Amino acid sequence: MNMDTPKMNMKKTVLGICIPALFLAGCAGIGKMGTKEFQTSFFAMDTYISLTAYGENGDTALEDAQRKMEELEALWSATDENSEIYAINSSGGKTVTVSEETKDLLDFVFSMADKTDGALEPTIYPVLLAWGFTTGENRIPKEDELQTLLQDVGHERIQIEGNEVTLPEGMMLDMGAVGKGYTGDVLVGILKEAGITSALLDLGGNVQVIGTKPDGSRWRLGLRNPFDTEGYLGVLEIADAAVVTSGSYERYFIGEDGKRYGHIIDPSTGYPVENGLASVTVVAKEGKLGDALSTSLFIMGREKAEAYWREHGDFDMILITDEGKLYITEGIADAFSLSGGFGNMEVHVVGKDQGE
Ligand code: ADP
Ligand code: MG
């Protein structure tokens, strides 16, 4: 959740008379180049969402986008008793028929679980529950409790045939790592369909942009400092892309032992990830890929994440270590600049050939 538009930028995209925190419906104005600007903010998928679109039809397109996001949340929430994910989780091993949209999401999530060698593990939910991350009543489970729960974790055991999903009894699914990115792609599709060629979708930690700003310049996104919720390490200039960040500093709790426990679980141990990475930001064409990868590369750690990037290469990334070093892949090195206060930060450009 550490990718946001810098405050200064935010002000630019929002007209003076509109106070962002008070937006419930659309808000229109005329942008710099005479292009109409529309903005809407609401709460969905556990996050504050802010959508900005430029051009004719922006208002109805944003309304459609918001409605769609609420619809997908109602399908995919693990806690909503009416959702399709809830139906699968409480099926007691019986086959459940799901909608086309849920089927597509599941197909994608399961293919990424395979591709990342189970770092992305959609069946980790029972372990997440044991740590209390869904209720906020956090606790540190005992080792043997985790080992028992891990016996019900393993995406290979779920069967998906067409729209029919069968999950063995005791297992549970959670789309938390990918749902928002997948939704971002659907919203981009809705806006493009409506003829929008310039838009900024801020889904708290997932930012997706259509085209460039109306004046033709690239969008400038602030890269949040994982060690301090205020302030930005630097600025990334992008067009037509998704930028997704995962880290353990946004959702975490401090245990009785004084240690910090984050909400991203290493499926090989059942414990929150602790591997020297503070955050992973992925820049990709699609939000679903960015979201799946930001979570799984964070779990893999720096060396495996670099190896994964060298092997697959259809994205770029910025890794920030607990020691405050920054690793950026060569594809976006020129698009990133450090903020004034971080000029001394150790920056490494990761290239394709420098195998380790
Ligand atoms: P955020 O939701 O904060 O933007 P992520 O996209 O990284 O961050 O997703 C984190 C969420 O993914 C957790 O809150 C949890 O619901 C789920 N999760 C945690 N560990 C895993 C894992 N190993 N595989 C898949 N999902 C996970
Ligand atoms: Mg993710």
Side-chain angles (χ1 to χ4, degrees):
M1 303 270 209
N2 63 346
M3 199 73 194
D4 276 316
T5 43
K7 278 178 192 132
M8 271 175 45
N9 246 17
M10 215 37 197
K11 275 186 200 143
K12 261 192 237 160
T13 56
V14 171
L15 288 186
I17 44 160
C18 305
I19 302 161
L22 296 181
F23 276 145
L24 288 174
C27 175
I30 306 292
K32 256 192 213 145
M33 309 288 288
T35 317
K36 269 196 189 157
E37 178 189 87
F38 297 93
Q39 209 267 352
T40 188
S41 306
F42 55 98
F43 196 81
M45 297 193 178
D46 249 351
T47 347
Y48 179 73
I49 311 289
S50 167
L51 313 178
T52 309
Y54 295 86
E56 295 303 322
N57 304 329
D59 47 356
T60 49
L62 288 185
E63 272 170 31
D64 290 347
Q66 175 172 354
R67 202 171 312 121
K68 190 69 199 181
M69 184 156 194
E70 287 163 354
E71 213 177 288
L72 296 179
E73 178 176 24
L75 281 183
W76 298 340
S77 161
T79 50
D80 180 345
E81 295 185 9
N82 298 310
S83 83
E84 291 193 334
I85 296 301
Y86 194 93
I88 297 171
N89 288 349
S90 51
S91 63
K94 291 209 185 72
T95 300
V96 174
T97 305
V98 298
S99 63
E100 207 59 25
E101 270 160 329
T102 299
K103 175 207 169 328
D104 287 348
L105 172 70
L106 289 174
D107 283 346
F108 177 73
V109 169
F110 283 84
S111 76
M112 288 306 293
D114 282 340
K115 231 172 160 177
T116 61
D117 232 349
L120 188 76
E121 181 47 80
T123 64
I124 199 70
Y125 200 55
V127 177
L128 202 77
L129 286 177
W131 286 91
F133 280 112
T134 54
T135 56
E137 285 163 32
N138 295 107
R139 55 186 272 271
I140 304 171
K142 295 249 157 29
E143 174 71 38
D144 57 348
E145 182 186 349
L146 289 174
Q147 287 312 320
T148 307
L149 290 171
L150 283 174
Q151 291 171 8
D152 282 326
V153 171
H155 63 277
E156 327 66 48
R157 277 146 63 197
I158 182 168
Q159 284 176 37
I160 307 180
E161 278 166 37
N163 293 48
E164 314 253 277
V165 182
T166 316
L167 184 73
E169 187 160 14
M171 292 181 72
M172 288 177 127
L173 295 178
D174 167 26
M175 299 293 112
V178 185
K180 225 169 11 165
Y182 198 100
T183 301
D185 294 335
V186 174
L187 303 195
V188 163
I190 288 176
L191 298 186
K192 283 188 173 169
E193 187 95 337
I196 301 292
T197 53
S198 173
L200 173 74
L201 314 186
D202 185 348
L203 317 179
N206 293 38
V207 176
Q208 294 192 227
V209 301
I210 297 178
T212 61
K213 290 199 263 180
D215 66 6
S217 65
R218 287 181 296 174
W219 301 95
R220 291 165 55 80
L221 302 186
L223 181 71
R224 275 268 290 276
N225 178 0
F227 309 110
D228 182 354
T229 49
E230 295 293 308
Y232 294 90
L233 287 182
V235 172
L236 196 55
E237 293 192 58
I238 54 150
D240 264 321
V243 182
V244 186
T245 298
S246 285
S248 55
Y249 55 91
E250 270 279 348
R251 260 180 239 209
Y252 65 88
F253 73 96
I254 308 284
E256 281 168 9
D257 55 2
K259 270 181 67 178
R260 190 161 139 147
Y261 294 95
H263 67 134
I264 299 177
I265 308 287
D266 182 343
S268 66
T269 63
Y271 282 85
V273 171
E274 205 189 329
N275 58 17
L277 283 184
S279 74
V280 173
T281 297
V282 173
V283 181
K285 278 277 164 228
E286 291 181 302
K288 64 181 180 185
L289 183 67
D291 207 355
L293 286 179
S294 66
T295 308
S296 40
L297 299 175
F298 182 75
I299 293 164
M300 287 180 202
R302 182 172 73 82
E303 286 180 10
K304 279 193 187 159
E306 288 185 8
Y308 187 95
W309 173 75
R310 290 199 178 95
E311 191 186 338
H312 297 273
D314 50 350
F315 65 96
D316 276 291
M317 63 184 183
I318 299 176
L319 312 177
I320 296 168
T321 68
D322 288 337
E323 297 170 325
K325 295 180 187 166
L326 187 148
Y327 293 79
I328 184 166
T329 53
E330 58 192 3
I332 50 168
D334 289 342
F336 179 73
S337 48
L338 284 171
S339 310
F342 295 95
N344 290 334
M345 198 165 184
E346 194 176 311
V347 175
H348 299 264
V349 176
V350 181
K352 283 278 175 203
D353 329 310
Q354 51 182 89
E356 275 174 298

